[in-house]
Amino acid sequence: MSDQVSQVAAIRDVPLFGAFSVDELERLVGLFSEVSFRKGETLWAEGDAGDSFLVVLAGELEVVAADRVVARLGPGDFLGETALLLGEARTATVRAARRTQLLTLSADDFGDSFAHNAKVLEHLSRALSQRLASRNRDEVVHRSVTVIGVVGGPGLVGRSLVAGPLAALLARISARPALLVGVNAPVASRPRVDADASLGDLGDEPLDRLRSRVAPDRGPVAHLPTTLPAPGAADGFTRGLDAVTRALGAEFPVIVADISSSVALDSAIVAEVCDVIVEIVARPGATAAVTHAAHTRIFEVVNLYNEQSAPIAINRCEPFVVPVDVALDDGDPMSQTLHVLEHPWSPATPPLTRLARKILGVSVGIALGGGAAFGVAHVGVLAALEAAGVPLDLVVGTSMGSIVALGYAGGLRPTAMEEIAGRIGNLRTVLSALDVTVTRPGFLRGDRLVSIFGPLLGSVQTFEQLLIPAQTVACDIESGERICLGEGRLDAAFRASSSVPMIWAPVRRDGRTLVDGSMVDPVPAEVVREMGADLCIAVNVVPQLQKGVTTALQRVYQRVNTFNPLSYTSGSRDMPNMFDLVMNSIQSLQYELGNFKAISADVRINVELAEFTWIDFHRALELIDRGAEAARGALPDIERMLAEHLPQPT
């Protein structure tokens, strides 16, 4: 747009210019110059001199202060007025979030045309106040439209398996409409169907014509089929997808481009118009996406349907590994999308859901703290969160929390865990764990821990088989370091994480002597962040010690001690036994340190278990009920956390 008539039309509906007549607007636009910026280009940096006023015609700008995006500006918005009115330097850095067209006015012309207009100054003042209030509230600023390009390397399958479900999941999670743009290579042997327009031609189409090409009845998301001819493919792709974004972005804030592997596009071209690139790769780190695309996020998806790909340990948010899911084998893209939406624990669904949540910045991790029998309450926490629809994209556990975390990550549902806990939660099970040793540094060998609690892991045996990422936390007793375990066998990982010093023998692994992770990190919220979660829920199940609350072991010990004459002369008859001395000392440490370690979490859940003791495995169902009660009490905080970070529905 360059002529005066079109510029008047562009700014006529901008509220700022409501105080001007048509004649005044015609004179005013003659003072403006039209400029454009490519994605990632900086208009000005914080501290620069203010020498111009700008109005956004098309595209999007992001305002950055203190390394954080504090505002986004789109068509009709204006900027630069603060520095001109106050005679100060720029207060923030402004850069183009996508291709952007603007009208720019010099400082002198701004002063002549705006500085003495009372209505304009009132509007500018109101807009400035709203921006400052928004910044002071520390609000999360979302893009008006997010464009995701799904690409795959030569010979790799799974692009459409990712693109369709991803668009549907993004629409469901954000509660905003999504558009799936199919970018296919044209078939030379048949004439092009009108519905499958060339993406390059869409930039020249009227808005109504472009909207008419969208098929709204193609399942959970709208669909726009297009082709991209080989000649001029790069220019056709960028012009076409940019036109779709500008024309349909207000109606579809989420746009996913399914780019055929037959369409030869350099990843730099895709990055030019896409905010996110999702690339199907044979193995992690093999992405062809450009690393210098600083303003485009890149996510790798390892699709195990590709023969070149091998399973890897699922212990971090990224990369996203899509396992072979037999339920998807014979389905078309539509049925595959519906299956993913309807079956949250089908093997392919968790990684795709996690990818969608990561793109939106709301992936959720949960840290399950240690605590011997207290840790059984985690089952109730997970059951209540799942019943309320709270998403959990990754889990970390310490000590008893590690057992529950690994079972959940392997796909064992909380209802099944509760049934298992009720079955093994009895005095006989507790006594069976007493495998005394005289050859290892501990009262008990700890080998029976695996056989007793192994059923809580279900049928999954290794980290490569997990459905969602998980790690366990142990402590290197020789260095005091926190050691995160995320590879190998699951039973070995929880055995190391649960080795209470002096009670159970430590585990030797990779040259380290590992004991219970509660010694260094009772509630590993920091590990949740390190694994890549955007949001964190931390659960501390360890209560503060209560005088008069004794274990069954202590009561038996005191009865036996009444027949020991030496206990009267030594003054030890009413003292705790050695096991309780150790465990109570650790409990006191875990309660205080656990709450401290959970400070970084967005939401902390403390389960009220004051009348229980560390050995009360026989009260498993009561513990689970308490965990569920505490989780239900935290739901308002969790819902508020998610609402604050999700884009507002349109």
Side-chain angles (χ1 to χ4, degrees):
M1 145 187 345
S2 58
D3 59 90
Q4 189 179 56
V5 174
S6 59
Q7 288 182 346
V8 169
I11 67 173
R12 184 173 49 200
D13 297 326
V14 176
L16 173 65
F17 298 105
F20 295 94
S21 67
V22 174
D23 290 340
E24 289 173 324
L25 285 178
E26 290 178 351
R27 183 189 66 81
L28 186 62
V29 296
L31 302 176
F32 277 98
S33 299
E34 187 170 331
V35 295
S36 61
F37 290 86
R38 298 182 63 182
K39 179 182 176 183
E41 285 189 305
T42 298
L43 279 69
W44 60 67
E46 183 177 355
D48 287 352
D51 58 1
S52 60
F53 171 77
L54 295 93
V55 178
V56 182
L57 294 179
E60 184 174 55
L61 301 174
E62 51 189 18
V63 182
V64 181
D67 296 322
R68 186 175 68 87
V69 176
V70 297
R72 292 186 183 276
L73 305 176
D77 288 328
F78 52 85
L79 66 158
E81 75 288 347
T82 303
L84 296 179
L85 290 172
L86 302 180
E88 297 179 349
R90 302 297 191 189
T91 58
T93 296
V94 179
R95 63 189 179 216
R98 64 181 73 259
R99 287 186 180 186
T100 305
Q101 290 175 274
L102 307 104
L103 291 177
T104 178
L105 189 67
S106 70
D108 290 340
D109 288 334
F110 176 84
D112 294 340
S113 304
F114 290 83
H116 305 293
N117 188 313
K119 289 185 177 180
V120 170
L121 290 176
E122 179 185 0
H123 188 89
L124 291 173
S125 176
R126 187 163 53 248
L128 178 60
S129 298
Q130 291 172 345
R131 292 175 186 173
L132 289 174
S134 177
R135 186 181 302 189
N136 290 336
R137 287 194 297 269
D138 199 29
E139 295 177 341
V140 178
V141 183
H142 297 281
R143 294 180 180 275
S144 58
V145 57
T146 301
V147 183
I148 301 108
V150 182
V151 299
L156 296 178
V157 301
R159 187 198 70 258
S160 293
L161 172 62
V162 171
L166 178 60
L169 289 165
L170 288 167
R172 170 184 285 182
I173 296 167
S174 67
R176 305 196 303 171
L179 175 67
L180 179 62
V181 180
V183 184
N184 301 301
V187 179
S189 60
R190 64 172 174 82
R192 192 180 74 195
V193 179
D194 184 56
D196 295 341
S198 167
L199 185 60
D201 295 339
L202 297 184
D204 301 322
E205 287 197 349
L207 178 59
D208 290 344
R209 176 59 175 160
L210 182 56
R211 282 178 174 163
S212 70
R213 294 187 180 280
V214 177
D217 56 348
R218 294 285 299 273
V221 296
H223 186 245
L224 175 62
T226 69
T227 63
L228 188 62
D235 181 63
F237 176 82
T238 53
R239 284 197 314 110
L241 193 54
D242 191 50
V244 170
T245 302
R246 294 186 182 192
L248 303 178
E251 185 177 352
F252 298 102
V254 177
I255 298 176
V256 178
D258 180 1
I259 305 169
S260 170
S261 58
S262 300
V263 176
L265 287 174
D266 186 273
S267 51
I269 300 300
V270 180
E272 178 70 23
V273 285
C274 292
D275 307 302
V276 178
I277 295 178
V278 175
E279 182 166 6
I280 311 299
V281 298
R283 57 190 180 278
T287 177
V290 286
T291 56
H292 61 267
H295 305 287
T296 300
R297 292 187 295 161
I298 300 171
F299 297 112
E300 293 181 328
V301 175
V302 178
N303 185 357
L304 296 185
Y305 277 92
N306 289 296
E307 295 182 357
Q308 307 97 309
S309 300
I312 62 173
I314 311 299
N315 55 28
R316 300 187 65 82
C317 186
E318 302 177 50
F320 304 88
V321 180
V322 179
V324 173
D325 190 339
V326 294
L328 304 178
D329 285 353
D330 299 322
D332 56 58
M334 183 61 63
S335 64
Q336 290 174 340
T337 296
L338 293 174
H339 179 83
V340 167
L341 289 178
E342 295 167 1
H343 298 85
W345 287 98
S346 190
T349 303
L352 293 175
T353 303
R354 189 171 76 253
L355 172 59
R357 300 189 63 80
K358 188 63 180 175
I359 289 173
L360 293 171
V362 289
S363 59
V364 181
I366 188 167
L368 305 182
F374 301 124
V376 178
H378 289 308
V379 175
V381 171
L382 294 177
L385 296 182
E386 187 170 283
V390 175
L392 297 176
D393 300 298
L394 54 85
V395 291
V396 182
T398 293
S399 193
M400 187 65 195
S402 72
I403 302 172
V404 179
L406 292 176
Y408 184 80
L412 194 65
R413 308 282 26 89
T415 51
M417 289 187 191
E418 182 173 353
E419 187 276 326
I420 295 171
R423 188 173 68 247
I424 66 177
N426 53 62
L427 187 58
R428 183 180 64 183
T429 299
V430 174
L431 294 175
S432 70
L434 305 179
D435 50 352
V436 179
T437 180
V438 294
T439 61
R440 303 182 189 179
F443 290 114
L444 308 173
R445 292 195 306 272
D447 296 341
R448 291 182 186 171
L449 285 175
V450 174
S451 59
I452 292 171
F453 295 109
L456 285 171
L457 300 180
S459 59
V460 176
Q461 297 182 346
T462 68
F463 280 90
E464 287 81 4
Q465 297 172 297
L466 294 179
L467 293 181
I468 65 175
Q471 290 186 19
T472 70
V473 174
C475 172
D476 183 343
I477 200 60
E478 295 177 301
S479 68
E481 294 176 82
R482 179 183 67 193
I483 304 300
C484 296
L485 305 175
E487 295 181 341
R489 290 188 59 85
L490 302 181
D491 51 11
F494 87 68
R495 170 68 181 84
S497 182
S498 305
S499 300
V500 179
M502 295 183 65
I503 304 296
W504 281 282
V507 171
R508 193 71 177 167
R509 176 167 171 158
D510 298 331
R512 298 179 180 271
T513 302
L514 303 181
V515 300
D516 195 307
S518 295
M519 298 297 97
V520 64
D521 201 349
V523 184
E526 294 175 358
V527 181
V528 170
R529 301 287 192 190
E530 292 168 4
M531 289 174 63
D534 299 301
L535 305 171
C536 175
I537 301 171
V539 188
N540 190 359
V541 294
V542 175
Q544 194 170 24
L545 285 171
Q546 300 290 321
K547 190 173 180 61
V549 178
T550 59
T551 66
L553 190 63
Q554 175 65 13
R555 292 191 292 272
V556 171
Y557 173 79
Q558 288 178 334
R559 292 192 189 100
V560 172
N561 220 20
T562 59
F563 300 102
N564 179 11
L566 296 178
S567 68
Y568 294 88
T569 59
S570 65
S572 62
R573 194 178 72 82
D574 295 325
M575 287 188 178
N577 63 81
M578 182 63 72
F579 282 99
D580 280 338
L581 279 173
V582 174
M583 295 303 292
N584 285 2
S585 299
I586 293 175
Q587 181 177 334
S588 181
L589 167 72
Q590 285 183 315
Y591 173 75
E592 298 293 346
L593 182 58
N595 285 335
F596 174 76
K597 284 291 189 178
I599 286 177
S600 65
D602 297 282
V603 175
R604 188 181 76 196
I605 300 174
N606 282 92
V607 184
E608 179 52 57
L609 299 174
E611 69 269 35
F612 294 84
T613 69
W614 66 271
I615 203 173
D616 286 346
F617 288 99
H618 62 288
R619 302 175 67 182
L621 298 183
E622 296 176 70
L623 291 163
I624 291 171
D625 287 342
R626 289 295 183 87
E629 180 183 352
R632 287 192 290 269
L635 286 177
D637 290 335
I638 295 173
E639 291 167 355
R640 188 179 308 111
M641 170 190 73
L642 294 172
E644 288 174 353
H645 288 81
L646 274 172
Q648 293 301 306
T650 55

